[in-house]
Amino acid sequence: GNWLLIWSVTLLAHTAHSCPEKCLCHKASKTADCKNRGFTEIPARLPPEIQILQLQNNRIWRINQNAFTATPLLKILDLSNNSISSVALGAFQKLRYLQVLNLTRNLIHYIENKTFSFLPHLKELDLSSNSIIRLPETFGNSTGNITLLSVKHNKLQKMERILLESLPNLKVVLFKDNPWQCNCNIFGMKLWLESFLYRGGISDGIICSAPGVRKGKDLLKVPYELFGACALRAAPVPPASSHQWPGSEQR
């Protein structure tokens, strides 16, 4: 009976800490190599002690909210070259030690507010080569330590200055190959980029796609006076009532 109990406990421990069948786990480097394995979702039963998870070149299409609860010590997560179009809010929030997140070459269209909340050690965030048309005003709480941000090769027309200002430790930001609209809405970005470069930041610059007269021009070389102010939206005027109060008839 004792032998059966010992065997059961050993088997349970082995199962809990075993490597997924298609992956290769390296104990010394604390790495799980799961790339090029045809996964359509984040594999289960990953060793909880791993710090590097390689999931590139699979067919993963969605990241669920609890996808990484079993691997809280991850420092490097590579999800490049998958089919990810949806990232659940809080999908990464258990990864408090994460330093590098690679989401390049996926099918992401939107990044919602606070998608990357509670990643206080995140330093490199690569969102390049997706189909992103909109970024939020904030990536989330505790993301101020990001030093490298890449949004190149997307479909961005503008980016909120408030998002860039929420990343005070940025050293490198990559913008190229987006259809930037160099109108009044991008003026704040121009001011931020000038200040960023003056402080020693590194960037590949913003090349205008529109309007036509600015197509192909470097945003920083477009004079301030050509932007003008964005027109304020006038408040809707309520329709005049046809009802006249007694005594209000025109004389």
Side-chain angles (χ1 to χ4, degrees), residues 52-159:
I52 301 172
L53 177 55
Q54 299 173 323
L55 280 166
Q56 60 266 42
N57 306 320
N58 282 291
R59 297 196 299 273
I60 298 167
W61 63 277
R62 174 174 169 77
I63 302 176
N64 294 317
Q65 190 166 8
N66 299 315
F68 300 105
T69 52
T71 53
L73 302 180
L74 279 184
K75 292 183 177 180
I76 299 175
L77 175 57
D78 192 338
L79 286 159
S80 61
N81 200 27
N82 276 278
S83 302
I84 299 167
S85 61
S86 177
V87 180
L89 282 177
F92 304 107
Q93 68 182 7
K94 300 296 184 182
L95 303 179
R96 295 190 61 83
Y97 300 100
L98 193 66
Q99 297 177 13
V100 178
L101 178 56
N102 188 343
L103 288 166
T104 64
R105 299 190 305 281
N106 277 286
L107 304 172
I108 301 169
H109 286 79
Y110 303 100
I111 298 291
E112 300 295 343
N113 269 316
K114 302 185 178 180
T115 295
F116 306 113
S117 276
F118 306 112
L119 301 178
H121 293 96
L122 187 63
K123 293 187 179 302
E124 298 183 14
L125 176 59
D126 197 337
L127 300 171
S128 57
S129 299
N130 279 278
S131 298
I132 299 172
I133 62 175
R134 187 190 70 219
L135 289 172
E137 291 188 349
T138 173
F139 282 143
N141 302 323
S142 307
T143 54
N145 286 317
I146 294 175
T147 59
L148 182 149
L149 171 66
S150 178
V151 295
K152 63 184 182 180
H153 305 299
N154 276 288
K155 297 182 179 179
L156 292 166
Q157 296 185 4
K158 66 173 184 174
M159 199 167 167

Side-chain angles (χ1 to χ4, degrees), residues 192-246:
W192 179 88
L193 185 55
E194 287 177 342
S195 174
F196 175 72
L197 295 174
Y198 179 78
R199 298 192 309 269
I202 298 170
S203 176
D204 55 2
I206 294 174
I207 304 300
C208 304
S209 289
V213 292
R214 294 171 204 160
K215 186 175 181 179
K217 291 187 176 180
D218 186 331
L219 174 64
L220 294 181
K221 295 179 180 177
V222 179
Y224 288 96
E225 58 269 19
L226 294 184
F227 285 93
C230 287
L232 294 174
R233 292 185 180 180
V237 178
S241 173
S242 59
H243 178 77
Q244 288 184 320
W245 293 100

Side-chain angles (χ1 to χ4, degrees), residues 16-37 39 42-58 60 67-68 70-80 82:
H17 293 264
S18 65
C19 196
E21 183 180 348
K22 297 179 182 179
C23 301
L24 296 173
C25 295
H26 307 285
K27 190 172 183 180
S29 61
K30 298 182 180 178
T31 299
D33 180 353
C34 303
K35 58 181 181 288
N36 294 300
R37 300 294 197 277
F39 285 111
I42 307 299
R45 299 190 311 277
L46 286 162
E49 68 274 10
I50 62 169
Q51 297 181 6
I52 301 172
L53 177 55
Q54 299 173 323
L55 280 166
Q56 60 266 42
N57 306 320
N58 282 291
I60 298 167
F68 300 105
T71 53
L73 302 180
L74 279 184
K75 292 183 177 180
I76 299 175
L77 175 57
D78 192 338
L79 286 159
S80 61
N82 276 278

